[in-house]
Amino acid sequence: MKKKITLIGAGQIGGTLAHLIALKELADIVLFDVAKGIAKGKALDIAQSSPINKFNVNLSGTDNYEDTKNSDVIIITAGVPRKPGMTRDDLLGINLKIIKQVANGIKKTSPNAFVICITNPLDVIVMALQRYSGLPKNKVVGMAGILDSSRFIYFLSQEFKIPVQKIKSFVLGGHGDSMVAMLGSTLIDGKAITDLVKDGKIKQERLNEIVERTKKGGAEIVKYLEKGSAFYAPAAAGVEMAESFLKDLKKQLPCAAYLNGEYETKDLYAGVPVIIGSKGVEKVIELKLTNDEKMNFKKSIESVKELFNAARKIDKDLN
Ligand code: TXD
């Protein structure tokens, strides 16, 4: 039985998600957008490429939640992106309203869906989405860590001039300036990066610059694009999560997941390594963190908490 993925938001990321899902023949695709024409136009345009790329999936566009019912996966990008000079947090007010609308739209029509939220400010928006929708916490997850980790790995591959496949690393914590690059578990062609620093292969200052560039990875692209933000890599990351769910791959992926005591954190969403399989977020992996990583992770959690308190002030329904 063909699976069904609904994309709520058919903008830059939504359209790219649809194209990648179609090329991989992961599922039939419903593009949903309040701008119905964008959803319908992109669905038709991608469908017209099927004879070229030889994929067979149904694509449709709509602004009616009825057309999205019984989705297996819902990926949400509905919201506004940053403009140059804006922080991800600046989007809180407007995107909180949008995510409340989306939550009401999906909770009745797809109560069993695996819901991947991409809209910024990610950690707080995904938490609000879960509360507004009341969907199970292990079926509502945020996409950020895969993107941040991918940016970090790419920058390291450029620095060491080796293929990305030979680098292992990941980034945890909030999807913002407080994100934590896990240097203690970063391997460059099998060698610990901390040893490469000790051996003088890379200076600590240079490594710190690469970590900073990763934190600002989104802002760097916003500056170039001027209108809109990154969308190819965010979409690739969202598809990796959807595929692990639909094919029960049980991949270990850094995602914004609900913490219920793990990492000494309760009742909060933040970026941690999780196993994604057919039951959704099947396990939160508790890593042994270095003291530095523990301290930075704690700081990152505090910044998510602070922003969620700001969200609570905007909407009492989040209390
Ligand atoms: O790592 C991450 N999580 C981030 C997330 C990486 C990059 C971008 N990040 C955020 O994703 C970005 O800050 C935005 O909040 C979202 C979507 O970014 P995108 O670049 O796709 O924005 P667009 O192109 O403006 O598309 C948003 C679409 C647009 O077509 C609107 O008409 C639609 O959302 N929209 C809605 N759809 C459904 N329902 C409602 N209420 C709605 N409001 C707007």
Side-chain angles (χ1 to χ4, degrees), residues 7 68 103 188 199 234 272 308 315:
L7 306 174
T68 72
I188 309 291
D199 299 347
V272 290
F308 193 66
D315 187 355

Side-chain angles (χ1 to χ4, degrees), residues 30-298:
V30 177
L31 277 152
F32 175 103
D33 202 297
V34 284
K36 178 165 71 170
I38 292 183
K40 286 186 173 302
K42 289 190 179 182
L44 184 57
D45 185 6
I46 295 169
Q48 290 171 357
S49 71
S50 58
I52 302 164
N53 294 121
K54 308 277 184 288
F55 58 77
N56 282 294
V57 293
N58 294 312
L59 285 129
S60 60
T62 184
D63 65 351
N64 179 347
Y65 276 105
E66 269 311 296
D67 298 330
T68 72
K69 65 175 183 288
N70 303 323
S71 295
D72 297 285
V73 174
I74 296 178
I75 309 179
I76 300 169
T77 60
V80 297
R82 285 193 268 177
K83 293 187 177 59
M86 283 175 83
T87 67
R88 295 177 178 96
D89 296 358
D90 291 338
L91 301 172
L92 180 64
I94 184 162
N95 285 348
L96 207 49
K97 281 199 196 74
I98 291 174
I99 214 71
K100 190 170 196 176
Q101 247 183 36
V102 173
N104 289 328
I106 64 172
K107 66 183 181 186
K108 293 187 225 52
T109 45
S110 295
N112 304 315
F114 180 55
V115 181
I116 300 166
C117 182
I118 295 184
T119 303
N120 267 332
L122 190 269
D123 307 280
V124 169
I125 292 291
V126 64
M127 186 144 69
L129 172 72
Q130 190 281 322
R131 293 205 182 187
Y132 286 140
S133 66
L135 294 177
K137 296 181 176 73
N138 67 315
K139 299 292 281 296
V140 179
V141 66
M143 186 299 286
I146 299 174
L147 171 65
D148 296 328
S149 306
S150 185
R151 285 172 170 160
F152 186 48
I153 289 170
Y154 169 69
F155 294 143
L156 289 170
S157 78
Q158 293 292 293
E159 182 70 16
F160 288 98
K161 299 184 179 33
I162 61 172
V164 290
Q165 293 85 340
K166 289 189 175 292
I167 295 177
K168 296 275 169 277
S169 186
F170 48 94
V171 174
L172 300 183
H175 180 51
D177 291 351
S178 66
M179 63 178 80
V180 186
M182 306 306 278
L183 299 179
S185 352
T186 299
L187 298 175
I188 309 291
D189 207 1
K191 296 182 203 72
I193 199 159
T194 43
D195 291 341
L196 296 179
V197 172
K198 276 188 209 125
D199 299 347
K201 295 280 188 290
I202 179 170
K203 286 194 174 10
Q204 187 63 50
E205 298 70 49
R206 180 65 190 135
L207 183 52
N208 294 346
E209 280 169 14
I210 293 172
V211 171
E212 272 318 296
R213 191 179 176 196
T214 304
K215 292 180 180 182
K216 303 269 191 268
E220 183 179 359
I221 292 182
V222 167
K223 186 164 68 28
Y224 286 128
L225 298 182
E226 291 182 10
K227 192 184 166 321
S229 50
F231 54 97
Y232 292 115
V239 172
E240 167 131 65
M241 294 165 73
E243 186 173 36
S244 195
F245 171 77
L246 288 173
K247 295 182 178 174
D248 194 22
L249 300 178
K250 299 194 188 307
K251 281 188 172 182
Q252 178 174 314
L253 300 167
C255 302
Y258 180 75
L259 298 175
N260 187 23
E262 302 87 346
Y263 294 95
E264 296 161 31
T265 304
K266 229 170 155 41
D267 199 24
L268 194 79
Y269 272 78
V272 290
V274 297
I275 300 295
I276 293 187
S278 58
K279 295 188 188 63
V281 174
E282 298 185 352
K283 189 172 172 17
V284 172
I285 305 293
E286 286 219 69
L287 297 168
K288 206 174 156 3
L289 305 185
T290 64
N291 288 337
D292 250 7
E293 289 164 346
K294 223 178 258 175
M295 181 191 64
N296 289 327
F297 187 82
K298 216 169 159 52

